[in-house]
Amino acid sequence: QEELVQSGGGLVQAGGSLSVSCAGSGLTLTDYTVAWFRQGPGEERKFVAALRSRSSGGRQAYTDSVKGRFTISRDNAKNTQFLQMNSLKPEDTAVYYCAVGRPILSAQRDPKMYRYWGQGTQVTVPS
């Protein structure tokens, strides 16, 4: 059975760093595009970053507001992907979700294109 299990996150002061991990079970992450989304209170789920599958070139993409601060990495041996978040700001506060799918490049920022989702992890940066 396919499953994504998240860990990490938490509370950190502005300017600090956090990491969130997403471990795959029953599926191989390198076979898919693995994306990160976040959802603040009362907001829609929004694209944060993505790492495309090996067969699609393995390119990374980031939303403009996190470029230079957030980085995706992957431990293939552990079938786990990480979202490293540096220089965190209060506006980064949200529940962060990893998701797996096979979207075309132009649709990779659309949450409807992803089939499997992690359970979500809270990231809080007090103002």
Side-chain angles (χ1 to χ4, degrees):
Q1 184 174 349
E2 298 85 355
E3 187 179 18
L4 299 175
V5 178
Q6 295 181 224
S7 61
L11 185 149
V12 69
Q13 297 303 313
S17 298
L18 286 172
S19 178
V20 184
S21 66
C22 176
S25 176
L27 50 83
T28 301
L29 295 186
T30 53
D31 291 342
Y32 296 86
T33 292
V34 182
W36 295 89
F37 292 84
R38 63 187 179 186
Q39 188 168 19
E43 297 180 352
E44 295 181 348
R45 201 165 291 190
K46 298 176 182 177
F47 175 83
V48 175
L51 175 60
R52 295 190 63 79
S53 66
R54 274 183 179 169
S55 62
S56 296
R59 283 185 290 179
Q60 298 185 18
Y62 298 89
T63 193
D64 286 347
S65 62
V66 308
K67 283 181 181 177
R69 300 190 297 123
F70 289 15
T71 305
I72 296 174
S73 63
R74 191 157 57 194
D75 184 333
N76 293 336
K78 295 183 178 179
N79 201 31
T80 300
Q81 187 176 113
F82 304 91
L83 180 67
Q84 177 66 37
M85 302 175 286
N86 298 327
S87 302
L88 281 161
K89 304 176 182 180
E91 51 264 43
D92 295 319
T93 295
V95 177
Y96 284 71
Y97 297 89
C98 63
V100 161
R102 291 193 171 110
I104 59 175
L105 183 61
S106 61
Q108 69 177 4
R109 297 175 184 239
D110 183 349
K112 296 190 295 296
M113 298 293 106
Y114 293 85
R115 181 173 181 181
Y116 304 107
W117 289 82
Q119 80 275 21
T121 304
Q122 179 69 46
V123 170
T124 302
V125 188
S127 56

